[in-house]
Amino acid sequence: MAAAGVAPDISLREATQRKLRRFSELRGKPVAAGEFWDIVAITAADEKQEVAYKQQLSEKLNRKELPLGVQYHVFVDPAGAKIGGYSQRLPNASALGKIFTALPLGNPIYQMLELKLAMYIDFPTHMNPGILVTCADDIELYSIGEFEFIRFDKPGFTALAHPSSLTIGTTHGVFVLDPLNYLGHNELEYRCCHRFLHKPSIENMREFNAVCRPGNCYQQGLAGGDTACLKLDSEYVYTDSLFYMDHKSAKKLLAFYEEVGTLNCEIDAYGDFLQALGPGASVEYTRNTSNVTKEESELVDMRQRIFYLLKGTSLNVIVLNNSKFYHIGTTEEYLLHFTSDSSLKSELGLMTIAFSISPGIPDCSDKAPCIIQSILDARCSVAPGSVVEYSRLGPDVLVGENCIISGSHILTKTVLPANTFVCSLSLKMNGHLKYSTMAFGVQDNLKKNVKTLSDIKLLQFFGVCFLSCLDIWNLKVTEELFSGNKTCLSLWTARIFPVCCSLTGSVTASLKMLNAIKTKSTFNLNSYKLVSIEEMLVCKDVEDMITYREQIFVEISLNKKQSDLEVF
């Protein structure tokens, strides 16, 4: 139980800070056997991403930002169908990966990888041989009491569960737990799961008895990700985050994969593994394809084979009643948690200025900008609610509210309208180093696609009909305007971003095309070679982007040393 008079957010903050301190003590030092993970495996969607991940891991190990003596591996998806994507809802993580998303935390800064390892720091010493599976864009915070530990020691699968609103449950996995034989709840509970529901409707949650009634939970609030904490008079469900499979279960799945060979359909480790578990599991889910990105002819058959393979395997659930699950996979979530006065910012200790050279930020009660490993001139201005990462901004740069600027270098006099997204990439084209900058509205839906050219009027760029934008840029509507699949046309595949010889030039060009939309003035893109975001990722020069970040890192480090000497 939580200590009397201690609010959940305070106990979460204290538990989180303890984990961060413990991980900090292990960074750059060899770890003893059993003290940490034997292997840390990261999955990459393709070979380009694999190269990016390996290079970033190498940099971290050289700078002693990770525990040493651990096997760090990157595994690229084999050819064929895959579930891995390219962070289309948070494109500044697309080029170098969501697991390497920078956080306004630490000195030097943490990325999502370090935070994950820190938050799970207690797990390895209380875990039987097996595999822990987690996602790259969520954060789990929990408090379980000073002398308790989370134990992964039961056969089969074991998952963490967090109390959440019914609305949150519709976009996550929901556990149908066996009833308790006592009243009240502890911070940490080991429960058996009857069945697992994947992104169920509220009606299904009720039908399968997943909904918990109010009045039997001690907490002052329950987890809801980026929503306010639930009150005690609300109903709630238990939602998923990470899960563990024991060695026997992992070997069973590996043997099955080796028997099948190349997969020709999308298999989801959460939806297709967990829904097969528990005594109440039903084969019916295998025919439900509503949550599938791309439906293939073999999908139902493959799902059914997995169901019968895992049928009868137990699903153990570790209920964390004083916990919160935060998702940071979209531009809106990213801005909310890094800049607003959110619970996560307080509980995790996120900073307004993290490892940067930046002018002072005025105090603001509910919102502030967030500067991560960037160099800003003292005379530039960044409005509350905006995030700047791995960038250089000159003296005459004015950034509006709720903007995201990543990997960019803006020298000239520039005004970025509110809700602008700007991310620059280094490209290798025909053996030459080039640059391109994606620029659009923070709320633009890059994933929305249409099947025909006549329907592109349904797409919107910065809130404006995409057809009108093409007219402003003097671009013709042809199939050549889009890369990739010509029956899946989207902002992601639209060839509208200029390729330039310099980083600053690419930012300037893309901001001019953006400004033309805002001012309804003409900006001719015909004089440029144009690429889509999809093509940027194919041509990305990982080494040059990492070099650019390293240059910023070195300059900030030297500046900090100089400042320390002056103080001394």
Side-chain angles (χ1 to χ4, degrees):
M1 295 289 287
V6 178
D9 65 331
I10 294 175
S11 60
L12 282 181
R13 183 165 63 241
E14 290 174 348
T16 300
Q17 294 307 313
R18 180 193 64 77
K19 297 181 187 83
L20 288 170
R21 283 193 301 271
R22 187 162 172 233
F23 178 72
S24 182
E25 291 166 3
L26 294 181
R27 293 177 91 184
K29 296 173 185 172
V31 290
E35 184 182 19
F36 196 64
W37 304 98
D38 299 316
I39 298 172
V40 175
I42 304 172
T43 57
D46 58 33
E47 290 179 358
K48 283 267 187 180
Q49 203 171 66
E50 179 190 24
V51 171
Y53 287 7
K54 284 182 174 179
Q55 193 158 340
Q56 289 174 98
L57 276 173
S58 178
E59 292 285 336
K60 287 181 179 298
L61 290 167
N62 287 339
R63 290 211 297 245
K64 298 189 174 180
E65 294 174 3
L66 294 171
L68 307 179
V70 179
Q71 295 184 54
Y72 295 95
H73 291 290
V74 179
F75 294 102
V76 64
D77 278 359
K82 58 190 73 203
I83 192 169
Y86 291 96
S87 311
Q88 287 173 281
R89 295 185 299 166
L90 187 63
N92 53 312
S94 296
L96 298 179
K98 282 192 286 190
I99 195 65
F100 295 99
T101 300
L103 301 169
L105 178 71
N107 184 13
I109 60 164
Y110 277 49
Q111 292 178 320
M112 189 63 82
L113 175 61
E114 288 96 316
L115 183 61
K116 287 275 175 185
L117 294 175
M119 293 302 98
Y120 309 155
I121 196 75
D122 297 330
F123 292 175
T125 51
H126 302 91
M127 179 181 285
N128 287 354
I131 297 173
L132 189 80
V133 179
T134 185
C135 297
D137 58 5
D138 59 50
I139 299 168
E140 303 90 9
L141 304 182
Y142 62 90
S143 171
I144 56 172
E146 189 177 352
F147 302 108
E148 291 189 282
F149 297 99
I150 292 176
R151 299 182 184 278
F152 297 88
D153 55 4
K154 291 183 171 61
F157 285 65
T158 301
L160 298 190
H162 313 270
S164 303
S165 70
L166 273 59
T167 303
I168 291 290
T170 62
T171 58
H172 289 76
V174 173
F175 300 103
V176 180
L177 301 177
D178 288 348
L180 281 172
N181 56 7
Y182 58 88
L183 294 174
H185 284 285
N186 297 317
E187 285 186 320
L188 173 66
E189 295 173 355
Y190 294 91
R191 305 275 295 274
C192 292
C193 185
H194 183 66
R195 71 181 297 172
F196 176 85
L197 309 175
H198 187 56
K199 298 183 179 179
S201 65
I202 291 176
E203 291 73 25
N204 281 346
M205 293 180 211
R206 296 191 188 283
E207 178 187 349
F208 293 112
N209 297 317
V211 179
C212 300
R213 308 298 172 202
N216 62 346
C217 186
Y218 79 91
Q219 275 188 270
Q220 295 179 20
L222 300 173
D226 53 12
T227 64
C229 286
L230 300 178
K231 295 177 181 177
L232 285 175
D233 58 359
S234 299
E235 295 176 314
Y236 59 95
V237 290
Y238 284 110
T239 54
D240 65 341
S241 57
L242 59 84
F243 70 86
Y244 155 91
M245 65 179 89
D246 68 352
H247 188 247
K248 181 180 176 182
S249 301
K251 283 191 72 175
K252 183 187 289 188
L253 283 166
L254 178 59
F256 175 75
Y257 175 71
E258 289 172 343
E259 176 194 330
V260 168
T262 302
L263 283 172
N264 295 311
C265 57
E266 175 186 303
I267 296 300
D268 179 1
Y270 285 80
D272 292 321
F273 292 173
L274 300 189
Q275 282 188 104
L277 308 176
S282 165
V283 75
E284 291 172 13
Y285 79 85
T286 60
R287 291 183 285 273
N288 179 2
T289 58
S290 59
N291 292 313
V292 176
T293 306
K294 185 179 180 183
E295 188 175 344
E296 304 287 354
S297 57
E298 298 178 25
L299 179 64
V300 173
D301 177 63
M302 186 58 64
R303 280 179 155 186
Q304 288 180 353
R305 290 178 67 183
I306 292 171
F307 172 81
Y308 289 112
L309 176 79
L310 295 176
K311 191 173 187 296
T313 305
S314 61
L315 176 55
N316 311 290
V317 173
I318 300 174
V319 171
L320 300 172
N321 279 310
N322 189 12
S323 67
K324 291 186 182 178
F325 174 96
Y326 294 95
H327 190 258
I328 309 185
T330 69
T331 52
E332 288 89 348
E333 291 166 339
Y334 179 84
L335 290 171
L336 169 72
H337 293 308
F338 286 7
T339 70
S340 298
D341 187 19
S342 73
S343 299
L344 176 64
K345 195 171 179 182
S346 167
E347 290 152 3
L348 196 51
L350 301 182
M351 298 182 284
T352 298
I353 302 176
F355 196 68
S356 296
I357 300 171
S358 173
I361 302 294
D363 289 335
C364 192
S365 58
D366 59 345
K367 249 186 186 182
C370 177
I371 316 298
I372 308 170
Q373 195 165 316
S374 294
I375 299 173
L376 278 60
D377 188 278
R379 290 162 292 173
C380 88
S381 173
V382 181
S386 290
V387 176
V388 180
E389 63 163 14
Y390 300 121
S391 295
R392 296 174 183 267
L393 304 185
D396 299 315
V397 177
L398 179 62
V399 180
E401 289 193 347
N402 304 319
C403 293
I404 297 174
I405 303 174
S406 177
S408 299
H409 190 177
I410 309 177
L411 277 176
T412 55
K413 185 173 183 178
T414 305
V415 177
L416 269 78
N419 305 303
T420 298
F421 182 99
V422 175
C423 178
S424 303
L425 271 66
S426 306
L427 311 178
K428 186 61 69 73
M429 306 183 78
N430 299 319
H432 298 287
L433 179 61
K434 302 289 184 181
Y435 300 89
S436 189
T437 297
M438 58 182 94
F440 44 85
V442 162
Q443 295 177 330
D444 286 350
N445 185 351
L446 304 186
K447 296 181 78 170
K448 181 177 180 178
N449 64 80
V450 295
K451 290 186 164 71
T452 64
L453 290 173
S454 60
D455 284 335
I456 64 170
K457 60 182 180 291
L458 301 175
L459 303 176
Q460 287 204 328
F461 180 92
F462 223 122
V464 176
C465 170
F466 190 51
L467 207 54
S468 302
C469 297
L470 295 176
D471 191 46
I472 286 171
W473 299 326
N474 196 23
L475 294 177
K476 290 185 171 61
V477 180
T478 65
E479 282 197 351
E480 286 304 304
L481 182 66
F482 294 90
S483 63
N485 188 342
K486 304 304 181 184
T487 60
C488 189
L489 314 175
S490 67
L491 295 183
W492 188 261
T493 61
R495 291 179 170 132
I496 56 175
F497 299 109
V499 175
C500 300
C501 294
S502 71
L503 178 56
T504 53
S506 81
V507 180
T508 300
S510 291
L511 289 179
K512 281 181 179 177
M513 62 175 279
L514 197 68
N515 188 57
I517 301 300
K518 300 296 288 185
T519 59
K520 295 183 172 59
S521 57
T522 303
F523 179 64
N524 194 336
L525 282 177
N526 279 322
S527 58
Y528 293 94
K529 176 176 176 55
L530 302 174
V531 292
S532 65
I533 301 174
E534 180 181 61
E535 289 174 320
M536 285 187 207
L537 296 178
V538 171
C539 300
K540 67 188 176 188
D541 188 325
V542 172
E543 193 169 337
D544 191 69
M545 283 186 281
I546 292 176
T547 298
Y548 178 65
R549 292 184 176 189
E550 182 66 21
Q551 289 167 347
I552 292 175
F553 176 89
V554 169
E555 192 169 329
I556 293 169
S557 298
L558 290 173
N559 179 271
K560 288 188 176 296
K561 282 182 183 177
Q562 185 63 35
S563 299
D564 291 344
L565 286 172
E566 288 172 0
V567 170
F568 181 77

